[in-house]
Amino acid sequence: KKIERAFYKAFYVYGATHGDQGFQQMTDVCRCSLVFEDFENLYRCYTVIETLAQQNNIGGILRVKDRFHPQHVPFGYRDVLINMYCPESRIVAEIQ
């Protein structure tokens, strides 16, 4: 995420409800994307990520958003978002 967008979200979006600690609510400062040809490989990868997150004592998976339901996602875009801590830190990363 670019610094301008990160500042905007921390100050205007999260700061409104969390005050000076709004920046701690950000979950996508560190983000990566993985692309799969089919559901089988996507969910296989999810299982690997879940296992590694548990084995490395980094808090496991914090949140999953499975956005494949067509009624809730416009224009046919679909993805799965996984939030977890980066190894050896409290920074929340997003895998999309």
Side-chain angles (χ1 to χ4, degrees):
K1 179 175 297 299
K2 292 184 179 180
I3 189 71
E4 295 86 4
R5 179 69 179 141
F7 175 80
Y8 179 87
K9 280 184 81 172
F11 188 78
Y12 293 107
V13 177
Y14 298 120
T17 55
H18 298 282
D20 291 343
Q21 302 303 311
F23 69 93
Q24 293 179 346
Q25 303 303 310
M26 296 189 60
T27 59
D28 60 351
V29 173
C30 178
R31 177 176 29 187
C32 70
S33 296
L34 306 172
V35 179
F36 298 94
E37 295 289 327
D38 55 45
F39 287 108
E40 181 181 345
N41 286 322
L42 182 143
Y43 289 110
R44 184 179 297 150
C45 180
Y46 173 81
T47 302
V48 170
I49 291 169
E50 183 178 40
T51 301
L52 291 173
Q54 291 171 349
Q55 288 176 351
N56 292 326
N57 296 321
I58 58 174
I61 291 177
L62 303 172
R63 179 177 71 164
V64 176
K65 283 179 153 181
D66 191 344
R67 301 191 299 189
F68 279 96
H69 197 281
Q71 294 177 346
H72 301 291
V73 184
F75 308 113
Y77 180 81
R78 310 281 190 272
D79 67 2
V80 173
L81 298 179
I82 303 169
N83 291 115
M84 59 187 287
Y85 287 117
C86 291
E88 300 181 27
S89 77
R90 299 300 287 176
I91 296 172
V92 178
E94 180 178 281
I95 301 170
Q96 183 176 17

